[in-house]
Amino acid sequence: MHAGHETMFRRRFFVSTLLSIPVLLYSETLQGWLGFSVPAFPGSEWLTPVFAVIVFAYGGVPFLRMAVPELRDRAPGMMTLISMAITVAFVYSLASVVVPTQSAFFWELVTLIDIMLLGHWIEMRSVRRASSALDELAKLMPDTAERITESGETEEVPASDLEEGDLVLVRPGASVPADGVVEEGESDVNESMITGESTAVSKEPGDEVIGGTVNGDGSLRVRISATGEETTLAGIMRLVEEAQGSESKTQALADRAAGWLFYVALGAAVVTAIAWTIATGFDSAVIERVVTVLVIACPHALGLAIPLVVAINTSLAARNGMLVRDRIAMEQARALDTVVFDKTGTLTEGEQGVVDIATVDGVSEDEALALAATVEGDSEHMIARAIREAADERGLERGTATDFEALKGKGVRATVDGAALRAAGLSRGDEPRDDERIHVGGPNLLSELEGDVPSELERFADRAGENAQTVVYLIREEEPVAAFALADVVREESYRVVDALHELGLEVAMLTGDSEDVARAVAADLGIETVFAEVLPEDKDEKITELREQGKSVAMVGDGVNDAPALTRADIGIAIGSGTDVAVQSADIILVKNNPMDVVRLVKLSRASYRKMKQNLVWAAGYNVFALPLAAGILAPIGILLSPAVGALLMSLSTVIVAINAQFLRRTDLSVPSLPGVAAPREPRPAD
């Protein structure tokens, strides 16, 4: 739509400007001001009104047509005001041909139309450029793909023909045609257009790739997992389109202001007519004053002030990995008091890792770890995965376990063969051992088995608790023989996020289902003031409500799955990661990168956008505050009167200033830290 209007206004501006030249050259007023003359010829006195009528019909009528819906809805706005201005100038000028007046408005009429066309051309071009994020995203998808056939040959097919399960070849430098999983090959993939991350991401078999991203130097074979509207890029495009289509609260205020100005202009015109009639009597000069007031009342800049900033804001956010579903939420981010973070997976990596091991006499760390990995062989719990990964990293071989059983909330147990027990040093002397049931679990399992914890393992558990680490035990015959400390590592950027938010004057809180000790330890490490611990997912929204009842404006940051109620309850819901439907539906703003640092960028962009909105409103409103009294003749006693042409020129200048000022928003520094006092990155540390 903007592109079509841009072309129309550009064409009509150039044609109307060309047709305006004769009107300006044969204007007696301009000839007198500038001291020049042009040759007269029979009928030359009609040249000015004829060309002015043509300019009005070609360049002015489109404004009248666009005003019809506003009048039909009884909601006067931008087009109504412009139409009123040029219609009044046109009628007054035609009347001056028949009825002698002090001056004709023909040259003012054509310059007013030309300036209006120029201003709208600038507006449409600026808005079209600011709204280009959607088009740029669409261009990322390649038109064709190289599909690998069953015989191993490649065939070039339209990307739209790909189906889930197809295997495609992505050559070096080519774009990935659809979402998929790497089956063969290694390469670095540039995902900056999707995630905003400038560093290429290494991909190997088993890694997911996103359609539209650009492959590096390696060749990849990718199994397609999503096509068409199901791809990540298509989802992002829907979000951007939704954001661009939503109307902000401030924008609605500007639209209402334009409607009110219509009535203000009419009222000012009536007051002007009455005042001048009383002062000088009713004559053509009074009509000229009224016409001037109505002509220059057009709030062109007011209509551009907010929409352009909002459009640029949305485009900037999208390019920096922030997808805005609700523009009002983006505007409210500037006024936040408190940011609440979910802990696991948001402030921390969300993956457990073995950070320390303690054993009883006669059992080595490797032997205990190998046996624990054997018992945990069939478990999918994060602790089981962490133990197996730790064993694999040390190159340990696992034994054979049977009769695996998960004990909900306590741990696991399985039958381990005698060979594995002997390898773990759990045989008594050279006595052969039969298969035996071995347990791996936490304190709840110890309580159930009623086993005594050796003093060295007890001290180990105490130290781990002080460091907010989770402890699980390897138990044989109801006796613990080893203990493992596991931790969820705090994200490196989490330290900087908390520091930066504090620097911006915001309070930071943490919400987690973990124990009070673990939560307090992580919060103390990060410098977080408020902690809500041992909170069930279904109760998280109650904590958000508590903060809001204290009069705080609250943002909730979570993964959008078990945090959905809290995301919805908060003033602003921010989902880390855009991979789930729940995140999209429950959050106001989606952060494509799983990076809490983007919360800081969000607040900075919101504040910068609000400053631009205020600056533009000052420019737009300032024009009318200055021009309307001058047009009404408030300074007439000292010889200062504002003509319609000068008023239109001031209006155009205000519009250009607003457009240029909005473009400066693109220079906003969203890097972090760019704030004084923000801590430098630290080494990752264990969280729980």
Side-chain angles (χ1 to χ4, degrees):
M1 178 184 67
H2 293 304
H5 283 177
E6 178 190 351
T7 302
M8 184 268 287
F9 282 119
R10 182 182 65 229
R11 181 178 63 251
R12 291 179 186 262
F13 165 71
F14 283 117
V15 173
S16 297
T17 301
L18 185 63
L19 294 173
S20 299
I21 294 176
V23 179
L24 299 177
L25 291 177
Y26 281 87
S27 169
E28 295 180 0
T29 301
L30 288 183
Q31 290 180 19
W33 284 356
L34 302 179
F36 73 92
S37 61
V38 291
F41 55 87
S44 61
E45 67 275 11
W46 292 101
L47 191 147
T48 296
V50 168
F51 274 85
V53 169
I54 296 174
V55 170
F56 176 80
Y58 182 72
V61 168
F63 293 110
L64 273 61
R65 291 174 179 168
M66 288 186 285
V68 172
E70 295 181 354
L71 295 174
R72 185 187 302 121
D73 296 335
R74 297 181 181 180
M78 203 67 54
M79 294 301 115
T80 304
L81 281 169
I82 294 175
S83 299
M84 178 182 67
I86 61 177
T87 300
V88 168
F90 178 67
V91 173
Y92 178 85
S93 299
L94 285 182
S96 68
V97 176
V98 180
V99 181
T101 59
Q102 186 173 356
S103 63
F105 270 18
F106 285 120
W107 78 270
E108 290 96 333
L109 170 65
V110 297
T111 53
L112 178 61
I113 292 175
D114 293 341
I115 290 172
M116 289 294 184
L117 290 171
L118 174 62
H120 269 68
W121 174 28
I122 293 173
E123 176 184 351
M124 291 299 104
R125 183 177 62 177
S126 299
V127 172
R128 188 257 305 165
R129 288 179 176 178
S131 303
S132 63
L134 197 60
D135 296 332
E136 293 301 317
L137 286 173
K139 293 177 183 177
L140 295 177
M141 295 301 295
D143 296 325
T144 61
E146 291 189 67
R147 183 166 56 190
I148 300 176
T149 64
E150 294 182 359
S151 63
E153 301 293 328
T154 61
E155 59 177 356
E156 186 172 300
V157 298
S160 57
D161 289 349
L162 291 176
E163 298 179 356
E164 185 176 344
D166 284 348
L167 185 65
V168 298
L169 173 65
V170 184
R171 298 183 185 275
S175 296
V176 179
D179 290 3
V181 178
V182 177
E183 283 204 355
E184 184 180 336
E186 295 183 2
S187 183
D188 292 334
V189 177
N190 183 352
E191 298 182 343
S192 60
M193 65 287 294
I194 302 293
T195 65
E197 180 60 51
S198 59
T199 304
V201 180
S202 177
K203 300 293 182 181
E204 57 186 24
D207 290 340
E208 295 182 354
V209 289
I210 302 173
T213 55
V214 180
N215 187 23
D217 296 331
S219 179
L220 298 176
R221 280 171 169 74
V222 176
R223 183 72 64 181
I224 301 300
S225 60
T227 60
E229 294 299 313
E230 302 301 319
T231 62
T232 299
L233 184 59
I236 292 174
M237 292 173 65
R238 284 194 298 271
L239 288 174
V240 174
E241 188 173 24
E242 183 178 342
Q244 291 180 345
S246 66
E247 185 176 84
S248 73
K249 186 182 298 183
T250 316
Q251 181 178 346
L253 178 63
D255 291 339
R256 288 196 299 271
W260 279 107
L261 190 56
F262 171 78
Y263 296 108
V264 170
L266 290 179
V270 171
V271 172
T272 300
I274 295 174
W276 277 81
T277 299
I278 294 174
T280 64
F282 183 79
D283 56 15
S284 60
V286 175
I287 298 177
E288 181 178 348
R289 284 298 94 209
V290 172
V291 170
T292 302
V293 169
L294 294 175
V295 164
I296 71 169
C298 303
H300 196 181
L302 182 62
L304 179 61
I306 301 304
L308 184 55
V309 172
V310 172
I312 295 175
N313 173 294
T314 304
S315 177
L316 272 178
R319 285 204 301 270
N320 283 275
M322 295 174 281
L323 304 181
V324 183
R325 294 187 66 241
D326 186 351
R327 286 183 178 178
I328 295 178
M330 170 60 85
E331 294 173 14
Q332 290 178 333
R334 66 177 175 81
L336 285 173
D337 299 312
T338 304
V339 179
V340 181
F341 287 94
D342 174 55
K343 182 182 73 66
T344 305
T346 303
L347 293 175
T348 67
E349 297 288 355
E351 296 182 358
Q352 295 282 339
V354 176
V355 295
D356 201 0
I357 302 174
T359 65
V360 297
D361 293 339
V363 180
S364 70
E365 291 186 4
D366 286 353
E367 291 169 344
L369 186 58
L371 183 58
T374 299
V375 176
E376 296 278 18
D378 291 339
S379 175
E380 289 302 319
H381 194 277
M382 68 173 64
I383 289 178
R385 289 197 298 270
I387 290 176
R388 292 198 301 268
E389 289 175 1
D392 292 341
E393 289 174 1
R394 296 194 183 196
L396 305 178
E397 294 186 6
R398 306 179 204 166
T400 303
T402 57
D403 300 328
F404 173 83
E405 182 181 0
L407 307 174
K408 187 174 182 180
K410 300 171 184 175
V412 299
R413 64 185 172 200
T415 300
V416 180
D417 61 21
L421 292 172
R422 288 192 297 274
L426 297 179
S427 295
R428 294 176 180 147
D430 296 329
E431 177 186 349
R433 294 297 308 270
D434 295 329
D435 295 349
E436 188 173 321
R437 296 287 274 178
I438 303 296
H439 294 76
V440 177
N444 290 338
L445 181 60
L446 282 178
S447 299
E448 181 179 280
L449 298 177
E450 298 181 354
D452 294 329
V453 180
S455 58
E456 58 265 48
L457 298 187
E458 192 170 5
R459 290 192 297 271
F460 174 82
D462 290 340
R463 290 196 306 272
E466 293 173 358
N467 293 325
Q469 297 169 356
T470 300
V471 176
V472 295
Y473 298 91
L474 176 65
I475 303 170
R476 164 191 167 271
E477 294 181 353
E478 301 182 0
E479 294 181 5
V481 295
F484 307 94
L486 297 97
D488 181 6
V489 178
V490 174
R491 291 173 179 264
E492 177 184 349
E493 58 269 24
S494 293
Y495 298 98
R496 300 167 62 205
V497 170
V498 174
D499 289 342
L501 289 175
H502 284 161
E503 195 72 27
L504 291 171
L506 276 67
E507 179 183 347
V508 182
M510 187 175 70
L511 191 60
T512 179
D514 280 342
S515 67
E516 188 78 23
D517 291 340
V518 170
R520 292 291 177 187
V522 175
D525 191 30
L526 290 173
I528 294 177
E529 310 92 344
T530 306
V531 179
F532 300 105
E534 300 179 5
V535 181
L536 296 175
E538 58 268 24
D539 296 331
K540 287 185 176 181
D541 63 322
E542 295 181 3
K543 301 301 180 183
I544 300 299
T545 301
E546 289 180 15
L547 291 173
R548 295 186 65 191
E549 288 176 348
Q550 297 173 17
K552 297 179 179 179
S553 179
V554 181
M556 172 65 192
V557 186
D559 60 14
V561 182
N562 59 358
D563 299 316
L567 289 170
T568 304
R569 184 74 62 186
D571 294 289
I572 303 175
I574 304 173
I576 295 287
S578 60
T580 66
D581 291 336
V582 178
V584 173
Q585 295 301 325
S586 60
D588 302 306
I589 297 171
I590 314 297
L591 306 183
V592 177
K593 298 179 290 184
N594 294 326
N595 188 349
M597 188 63 70
D598 288 336
V599 177
V600 181
R601 296 186 177 94
L602 171 67
V603 175
K604 293 178 67 175
L605 180 57
S606 177
R607 293 183 177 182
S609 299
Y610 184 68
R611 286 195 298 271
K612 286 299 175 189
M613 289 180 184
K614 290 196 298 184
Q615 292 168 6
N616 279 359
L617 285 175
V618 168
W619 279 110
Y623 156 76
N624 288 291
V625 170
F626 170 77
L628 279 178
L630 290 181
I634 193 173
L635 297 182
I638 60 175
I640 299 177
L641 284 174
L642 188 65
S643 71
V646 175
L649 185 63
L650 290 174
M651 179 195 62
S652 178
L653 179 62
S654 175
T655 300
V656 172
I657 291 174
V658 164
I660 294 174
N661 187 51
Q663 295 298 328
F664 284 143
L665 180 61
R666 299 181 184 276
R667 299 185 179 182
T668 302
D669 181 13
L670 296 180
S671 61
V672 179
S674 62
L675 301 171
V678 176
R682 312 183 192 182
E683 291 299 322
R685 294 182 55 183
D688 51 10

